[in-house]
Amino acid sequence: MTQQRFNMDWMLKDLASSVPQTRHVIVLSSDGLRMAQHGTDTDAADRLAAACAGLQSLSAAVAAEFPQGDGQMRLVVIEVDGGFFYLMAAGAGAYLAVLADDDVDAGLMGQQMRDLVARIGEHLTSPPRVSGPVA
């Protein structure tokens, strides 16, 4: 039995067009598998998704150091020469990642990413992969 995946590529395009200076938008599972993409080729999206898996894991380790928190990563922003990288939790086991140029409106980007996650959050959930019956 195969499960039809919700096509969200057009929604990623919507995010990219609503925030000038957006380069790449991808959705990935927590184990680094690309689920959707816009503005990049498949190989680059796969590399970015794999890197994000490590980053979200590292972020969760840092979040665990805040005893009053829930230990969950919500948003990571990295500034590098030439641009910004955003990684946002987007549902159980799913993340939204964006690469943008250095003159992007950071506030607008954050708001548009939150809006996108709110609109399609249940579609961004990546259920765990299992083989055989679950006990």
Side-chain angles (χ1 to χ4, degrees):
M1 175 159 76
T2 61
Q3 182 179 356
Q4 191 100 15
R5 183 172 298 280
F6 176 72
N7 184 340
M8 64 191 99
D9 293 353
W10 68 272
M11 291 186 202
L12 303 183
K13 180 180 179 182
D14 213 24
L15 170 67
S17 64
S18 68
V19 183
Q21 312 320 120
T22 300
R23 288 180 175 226
H24 310 303
V25 183
I26 67 167
V27 175
L28 60 131
S29 64
S30 60
D31 56 355
L33 296 177
R34 172 188 44 84
M35 298 168 62
Q37 71 190 62
H38 174 73
T40 186
D41 62 68
T42 301
D43 289 339
D46 286 342
R47 285 191 307 273
L48 187 57
C52 288
L55 185 57
Q56 65 84 19
S57 178
L58 176 64
S59 299
V62 171
E65 295 302 315
F66 292 89
Q68 72 280 10
D70 62 5
Q72 300 296 310
M73 181 277 288
R74 289 184 183 76
L75 175 66
V76 173
V77 179
I78 298 175
E79 181 179 6
V80 297
D81 189 26
F84 290 90
F85 166 77
Y86 300 86
L87 180 63
M88 180 177 281
Y95 296 87
L96 176 63
V98 177
L99 287 177
D101 292 335
D102 58 2
D103 54 348
V104 69
D105 181 333
L108 179 60
M109 178 62 78
Q111 182 61 48
Q112 293 299 90
M113 288 177 72
R114 282 188 298 275
D115 288 351
L116 177 60
V117 167
R119 276 190 300 159
I120 60 172
E122 71 270 7
H123 300 293
L124 294 179
T125 299
S126 176
R129 287 184 289 283
V130 296
S131 57
V134 177

